[in-house]
Amino acid sequence: METLVALAQGALTAAAPLNLLYGFVGVLLGTLVGVLPGLGPAGAIALLLPLALHAPPLAYLIMLFGITYGAQYGGSTTSILVNIPGEASSVITCLDGYAMARQGRAGPALGMAAFGSFIGGTLALFGVAFLAPALAEFGLHFGPPEYAALMLFGLTALVYLAQGPMDKALLMALFGALLASIGLDPVSGTPRFTFDILILRDGIGLTPVVIGLFGVSEVLLNLDAKAGEVFHSKVLGLLPTAQDWRDSTAPIARGTLLGFFIGSIPGLNVVIATFASYALEKKLSKHPEKFGKGAIEGVAGPETANNAASCSGWIPLLSLGLPTGSVTALIFGALMIHGLAPGPLFITNSPEVFWGLLGSMIIGNAILLVLNLPLIGLWIKILRIPYYYLFPLIVLFSIIGAYTGSASIGDVVITIAFGFLGYLMKKFAYEAAPMVLGLVVGPLLETAIRRSMIMSRGSAMIFFNRPIAAVFMALALFMLLSPLLTRRRLGHEIIEKLEDH
Amino acid sequence: MKKAVSIPLYWLFLASYFGYAGYNLGLGAGGRPGAGFFPFGAALAIGAIALARLIRLASESAIFATTTSEWRRIICVIVGMAAYALLLDPLGFALCTFLLMAAYLKLVAVQSLRLSLGFAAGVAFFAHLFFDSLLNAQLPRGLLAWLL
Amino acid sequence: MKHTRLALLALALLLMAVPLLAQPFPNKPVELVVTSNPGGGVDLLFRLLAEEMSKILKTQVNVANQATASGAIGAEKVASAKKDGYTLMGSLLGQIATMSAANPKGPVNLTRDFQPIAILHGYAAVILLSRADSEFKTLKDVVALAQKKPGEIIVGVGPTGTSLTLEIELLKRAAKIDVTSLPLAGSAQTITNLLGGHVQLAMASDVAALAHIKAGKLHGVAVDVNSISLPEVATFAKQGFPQVNLLAHLAFLAPKGTPDAVVKTLADSIRKAMQEPKLQESLKTRGYNVDLRTGTAELNKLVKEEIDKYSRFSADELGWKAQ
């Protein structure tokens, strides 16, 4: 009960004119940053750091927080419209969102993404308010063996991401994992596959890869049409239909829960929550073959999950004072600038700040919904631009997006290379999503396993004699074997095998 | 037929390179996987799958209908991007954007020179305004630095 | 005639340029390339200083982050920049010393390519942590228990080549003990793993550990330099291991060959900035030590000592395999 009171007070604080103003600017900037591919919340926050020394503390923090979850709203926009993930976490939205746009249903896709984001974010915030300390404690139990088991479980989601033949999807995932190993080995510090090129020491970033793989390759593919054929997108309706709502309710609910819990585990990229949601929805769907061709569940679930995850991602920082990613590290710095040391006693020592921030996030989510819905009409108009004028802009935005990540030409080269690769992949029917999964989960799995082996000094039993790890190992095994157990999926497999050879 | 088989061959080539390099990096000892263990393992798995595909495809007559009708456009877009990347530092953001937009519009979209230049100028101007002035995104100034 | 008019115009322009050329340093913005990620401890301090310096020098000092490849890219850029004092580097001295020690003939060499302007000596401490409910209270406990169970104690350390990893190596060598180093990604991860019981000890920055020590969850066993926020924790040296001495210094560097007058102007502005009471206060509350060193002789000595310290390790241990 006191939690609700505290939350209400926090919301009141956040609604003070100055805080509201900064909050509004924050979510606006966040949306912008999310829409622009490549420019992530980390970059925007870094740009605003000099302001930290002059702005009022709470208002400034509200603005920074606004940027982070605002970006999750905007990220889906370009994914749906032009197949460029605005944020790495919007990659999955490209799959069905863009397909829907090509069917003229960009409006419902954008609308459902906005609604899902709102519901996921707001519910997650209530979850944070009530469960933060408990979840933070739980998160501490995740050591390397638990992460390894969790990632293994996550890889089994691969089974449900692939539309085509499994062996091609596996090839892509393994390839993604190989690419991710380029750079300094996080465990031993040995440079791997860097050919003494300095820029490669930090590895191949996820952002330039997905911009090229999804965005640029799509441009190349569209231009490959016969001369005179202009890419046209008819627009049917601006908002989701009643049927859309019926289809999306359950995915949104599941996405919220999934995103909330995955996000609260320290160190997991929000992307993972979106992959998990997509895989779950596909598994539970009565018509899995529709996924990838414009199933709105494939947009509603992941978009909800990524907002829920980005909200619960604050738990390790706010409850324990542990920054678990680049954005949280920046916010940690911002809190330090104002002398608000985040730590286990943060909530107790600075309740106005904690509850004020939570309250501001709830208000912010509402602002974002109201902001984004009318914008849908504007975004749709962009699709009306003749492709001959649109594609140079897409290419330009891709280049800028790739460049601004770390101010390096190297990232642009990567985008170009993966753009071409993505084009070839589409021609030869290889999917990009499994590669992204491999790229993200591969290194996490590898470092987790190797660290676990160091801890256990060579014994693999460490994955089984620790309770949480054992549970996930069992789940992973179940996921691997369950397609063989369910006759329905078995039937589908047989049909697929007959179809594609 | 030829095309279908060549893809698994690329995979095998990739697998052998990464497998070799991974092995050299060290597979580790005593239950401690080394830096090369996972790349080696992944390469092995890729190799196995590719081999399986190769065998399966070689024993069938696979019809692979992949046609590219507009090679010129594809090459143009890619070369354009590459040139942009190379010239970004020396020429600067605004100038490069202008050139790229003009080139794309003229060569790929095959529009008139006047339209191409006009479009390019507009985009370059607004992009500069937006990214440099508004967002302060640290894009290279290059040749026009004295102007901006 | 036409030519006369042209000549007069050229002369006029030339005359206008002369006062411009004669302007004292600095007369346009200065770029400070910080080889660390934005928002982190290192970056924060440089930003605070840059702001003060801007006021003193009456020109903007802009921070540009360039942390790629552990700062190597930024270092290369500054080393080859014009030696006019408008491009400077702000780095963890250890980062650059590491590259120089591992690969003296490589693209970045501290003594060959750079001129130190000022050094913030031991700006923050690295602390060896244990859980408050564990038996590790002093270094003696650690050494004793490690000798009883060789290899069993797990210490969470940082990425290869950072002082978070190397200092444990120095302790292992000096005390002749065998503890298992578990490489993690940084202070936040080592602390998380320590709190969760996955490791028994952890190396972290004192700033990151402070909140947890104050909350009674963690205990400070030793620091490498006296920590301003945790004065009660004894240093490695005090507890008998002076060899564990990879103190973190922050350095302002200019490309080698920058004119002495320019270096002096910059050093003076940094000194004046550090004397600002408000800045000192805000640095202290954030746990930064404020031990500023300037003066060519002393700085060169510090630089040489730093490279020597890191030369105790192989290139592999430093994370820079010889090319």
Side-chain angles (χ1 to χ4, degrees):
Chain A
M1 197 51 225
E2 331 165 313
T3 320
L4 279 178
V5 171
L7 198 56
Q9 274 177 334
L12 230 64
T13 320
L18 189 65
N19 294 336
L20 205 60
L21 178 68
Y22 271 83
F24 183 73
V25 170
V27 298
L28 200 63
L29 270 176
T31 313
L32 190 67
V33 153
V35 169
L36 291 173
L39 205 60
I45 296 179
L47 286 174
L48 289 170
L49 273 178
L51 204 59
L53 305 163
H54 307 284
L58 186 59
Y60 178 72
L61 288 168
I62 290 180
M63 179 173 71
L64 291 190
F65 273 74
I67 295 179
T68 60
Y69 58 90
Q72 299 299 335
Y73 273 79
S76 49
T77 309
T78 44
S79 304
I80 294 174
L81 291 178
V82 287
N83 206 45
I84 303 183
E87 294 298 311
S89 55
S90 312
V91 166
I92 285 282
T93 315
C94 289
L95 296 181
D96 279 88
Y98 184 62
M100 284 180 73
R102 297 202 76 149
Q103 294 164 6
R105 302 233 298 144
L110 289 168
M112 199 47 84
F115 280 113
S117 300
F118 171 71
I119 297 174
T122 311
L123 288 178
L125 283 167
F126 278 100
V128 172
F130 286 100
L131 297 173
L135 275 176
E137 268 304 312
F138 181 66
L140 284 180
H141 290 294
F142 274 77
E146 284 72 26
Y147 280 105
L150 183 63
M151 289 300 110
L152 208 59
F153 176 50
L155 274 182
T156 57
L158 178 63
V159 176
Y160 297 102
L161 271 185
Q163 291 166 260
M166 267 305 294
D167 54 354
K168 278 177 150 180
L170 267 174
L171 279 177
M172 281 286 112
L174 289 165
F175 182 53
L178 267 183
L179 286 177
S181 66
I182 297 179
L184 280 188
D185 172 18
V187 177
S188 71
T190 324
R192 294 193 290 193
F193 313 118
T194 58
F195 306 108
D196 290 336
I197 303 177
L198 275 181
I199 307 183
L200 284 180
R201 275 175 66 93
D202 285 345
I204 297 185
L206 183 62
T207 310
V209 168
V210 296
I211 294 181
L213 209 56
F214 287 84
V216 178
S217 71
E218 188 64 24
V219 167
L220 293 177
L221 205 66
N222 284 323
L223 288 176
D224 193 21
K226 296 199 213 11
E229 195 179 280
V230 177
F231 175 65
H232 227 60
S233 187
K234 54 202 185 305
V235 175
L236 318 160
L238 272 180
L239 282 179
T241 62
Q243 178 61 39
D244 288 331
W245 277 105
R246 275 194 290 271
D247 290 333
S248 306
T249 320
I252 289 182
R254 289 189 284 259
T256 309
L257 282 171
L258 203 59
F260 179 68
F261 283 108
I262 293 183
S264 68
I265 299 175
L268 286 189
N269 199 327
V270 171
V271 183
I272 297 180
T274 58
F275 274 86
S277 171
Y278 192 83
L280 184 67
E281 292 313 316
K282 194 170 175 193
K283 178 168 176 41
L284 295 176
S285 164
K286 292 189 183 46
H287 40 87
E289 67 288 346
K290 277 226 210 133
F291 276 73
K293 303 194 181 55
I296 199 164
E297 299 92 323
V299 173
E303 274 302 309
T304 311
N306 77 11
N307 277 68
S310 83
C311 283
S312 67
W314 294 115
I315 292 181
L317 180 67
L318 295 178
S319 289
L320 292 174
L322 294 166
T324 49
S326 51
V327 176
T328 38
L330 280 169
I331 300 283
F332 185 92
L335 285 164
M336 289 298 292
I337 295 187
H338 289 120
L340 295 161
L345 300 176
F346 181 67
I347 304 183
T348 338
N349 289 346
S350 319
E352 353 55 75
V353 181
F354 178 75
W355 294 109
L357 283 172
L358 275 188
S360 78
M361 289 202 267
I362 295 187
I363 295 181
N365 268 295
I367 295 179
L368 280 166
L369 187 66
V370 170
L371 205 66
N372 275 290
L373 285 179
L375 283 179
I376 295 181
L378 181 68
W379 300 131
I380 300 287
K381 288 212 169 49
I382 291 186
L383 285 185
R384 289 257 174 87
I385 301 177
Y387 201 66
Y388 281 133
Y389 297 108
L390 193 59
F391 91 84
L393 295 175
I394 297 178
V395 171
L396 182 66
F397 274 83
S398 302
I399 296 179
I400 297 178
Y403 182 80
T404 49
S406 49
S408 107
I409 302 290
D411 282 348
V412 182
V413 173
I414 290 176
T415 301
I416 300 175
F418 278 88
F420 186 58
L421 185 67
Y423 166 75
L424 288 176
M425 278 163 57
K426 289 198 171 127
K427 283 284 182 188
F428 290 106
Y430 280 91
E431 294 167 76
M435 188 204 285
V436 177
L437 186 70
L439 203 55
V440 172
V441 176
L444 291 176
L445 181 64
E446 178 190 6
T447 37
I449 291 184
R450 289 170 65 191
R451 284 177 181 152
S452 306
M453 297 304 275
I454 293 180
M455 285 169 69
S456 71
R457 280 168 321 145
S459 154
M461 283 310 294
I462 194 172
F463 301 110
F464 298 99
N465 55 23
R466 291 161 66 114
I468 300 182
V471 166
F472 280 109
M473 291 298 277
L475 283 173
L477 221 62
F478 172 71
M479 287 286 276
L480 278 175
L481 297 177
S482 95
L484 299 176
L485 296 173
T486 52
R487 232 175 289 167
R488 191 181 62 180
R489 174 79 192 183
L490 198 59
H492 279 204
E493 293 259 12
I494 296 178
I495 295 176
E496 276 181 280
K497 274 202 154 52
L498 291 176
E499 266 181 345
D500 61 24
H501 300 303
Chain B
M1 181 59 191
K2 192 182 91 164
K3 248 195 210 153
V5 166
S6 67
I7 309 295
L9 283 176
Y10 283 127
W11 284 116
L12 280 173
F13 174 67
L14 195 82
S16 15
Y17 168 70
F18 275 100
Y20 172 71
Y23 189 77
N24 277 345
L25 278 172
L27 296 182
R32 272 201 190 205
F37 184 79
F38 278 82
F40 182 73
L44 225 58
I46 291 181
I49 300 178
L51 210 60
R53 282 190 74 83
L54 192 65
I55 297 176
R56 196 171 46 203
L57 287 173
S59 61
E60 299 167 0
S61 49
I63 323 143
F64 234 116
T66 57
T67 51
T68 310
S69 44
E70 296 287 340
W71 268 122
R72 223 195 51 138
R73 285 190 193 174
I74 308 282
I75 305 253
C76 209
V77 172
I78 295 184
V79 167
M81 291 181 80
Y84 191 98
L86 282 171
L87 297 171
L88 186 60
D89 262 331
L91 291 186
F93 173 65
L95 198 56
C96 269
T97 307
F98 173 75
L99 290 172
L100 188 71
M101 297 292 105
Y104 276 168
L105 227 41
K106 183 85 190 64
L107 296 172
V108 181
V110 195
Q111 306 291 318
S112 72
L113 188 64
R114 221 179 43 168
L115 192 63
S116 309
L117 292 179
F119 178 77
V123 172
F125 178 69
F126 279 107
H128 169 69
L129 209 67
F130 189 64
F131 285 103
D132 267 333
S133 315
L134 201 65
L135 292 182
N136 207 8
Q138 284 188 341
L139 293 158
R141 296 291 165 88
L143 281 186
L144 297 181
W146 49 272
L147 183 64
L148 306 162
Chain C
M1 283 181 311
K2 256 209 209 142
H3 293 295
T4 325
R5 278 230 293 269
L6 204 62
L8 280 174
L9 187 63
L11 193 61
L13 283 172
L14 216 67
L15 284 173
M16 284 201 301
V18 167
L20 225 91
L21 290 172
Q23 285 240 354
F25 171 85
N27 58 11
K28 58 178 174 131
V30 172
E31 189 190 20
L32 181 64
V33 176
V34 172
T35 55
S36 290
N37 281 316
V42 173
D43 172 71
L44 219 62
L45 202 148
F46 279 115
R47 282 182 191 265
L48 290 170
L49 266 172
E51 188 158 340
E52 275 309 314
M53 285 169 71
S54 301
K55 293 189 208 147
I56 296 174
L57 290 171
K58 304 225 189 344
T59 184
Q60 263 304 101
V61 177
N62 294 320
V63 169
N65 297 90
Q66 186 50 277
T68 340
S70 321
I73 307 258
E76 272 189 330
K77 173 175 164 200
V78 175
S80 51
K82 271 187 28 193
K83 308 172 193 324
D84 54 8
Y86 289 103
T87 315
L88 304 171
M89 188 161 79
S91 303
L92 206 52
L93 192 62
Q95 262 183 329
I96 320 292
T98 307
M99 292 183 236
S100 317
N103 207 351
K105 295 204 186 26
V108 175
N109 183 309
L110 189 51
T111 41
R112 179 193 72 193
D113 301 326
F114 295 100
Q115 186 144 348
I117 302 175
I119 289 182
L120 213 61
H121 191 268
Y123 87 106
V126 167
I127 187 170
L128 177 63
L129 295 161
S130 65
R131 290 170 61 115
D133 55 9
S134 75
E135 53 222 321
F136 299 105
K137 297 284 184 250
T138 64
L139 269 185
K140 258 195 354 190
D141 302 326
V142 173
V143 172
L145 281 157
Q147 280 164 344
K148 263 205 291 202
K149 309 190 203 168
E152 278 190 32
I153 300 180
I154 310 180
V155 187
V157 298
T160 311
T162 58
S163 59
L164 286 179
T165 312
L166 296 175
E167 287 194 329
I168 279 290
E169 291 305 309
L170 289 172
L171 182 66
K172 285 195 228 178
R173 290 184 199 178
K176 301 210 200 331
I177 51 174
D178 176 18
V179 296
T180 308
S181 293
L182 182 65
L184 295 165
S187 292
Q189 269 200 3
T190 58
I191 292 179
T192 315
N193 276 280
L194 184 62
L195 287 171
H198 309 289
V199 297
Q200 285 82 48
L201 294 167
M203 295 288 283
S205 73
D206 59 350
V207 170
L210 183 61
H212 301 274
I213 296 184
K214 290 269 182 307
K217 297 264 173 79
L218 295 182
H219 171 79
V221 174
V223 284
D224 59 356
V225 70
N226 276 313
S227 161
I228 203 168
S229 30
L230 292 163
E232 70 274 8
V233 182
T235 60
F236 280 97
K238 257 236 197 96
Q239 300 192 49
F241 295 102
Q243 310 91 327
V244 184
N245 60 354
L246 291 176
L247 310 183
H249 310 302
L250 289 189
F252 276 88
L253 300 161
K256 189 142 197 132
T258 308
D260 285 340
V262 171
V263 173
K264 187 166 180 319
T265 314
L266 288 166
D268 285 340
S269 73
I270 297 174
R271 183 168 282 286
K272 274 216 203 72
M274 290 295 287
Q275 286 165 344
E276 261 298 299
K278 262 182 51 185
L279 182 65
Q280 283 214 350
E281 199 42 54
S282 62
L283 288 179
K284 287 212 186 105
T285 46
R286 275 159 209 134
Y288 295 127
N289 281 334
V290 288
D291 182 4
L292 181 73
R293 312 281 176 91
T294 50
T296 325
E298 170 162 23
L299 293 180
N300 286 334
K301 184 156 126 0
L302 271 173
V303 163
K304 183 171 181 315
E305 277 173 7
E306 191 76 357
I307 301 186
D308 287 340
K309 282 188 202 170
Y310 282 94
S311 302
R312 290 179 287 181
F313 302 96
S314 68
D316 259 350
E317 285 174 310
L318 293 174
W320 289 93
K321 244 171 45 186
Q323 284 164 303

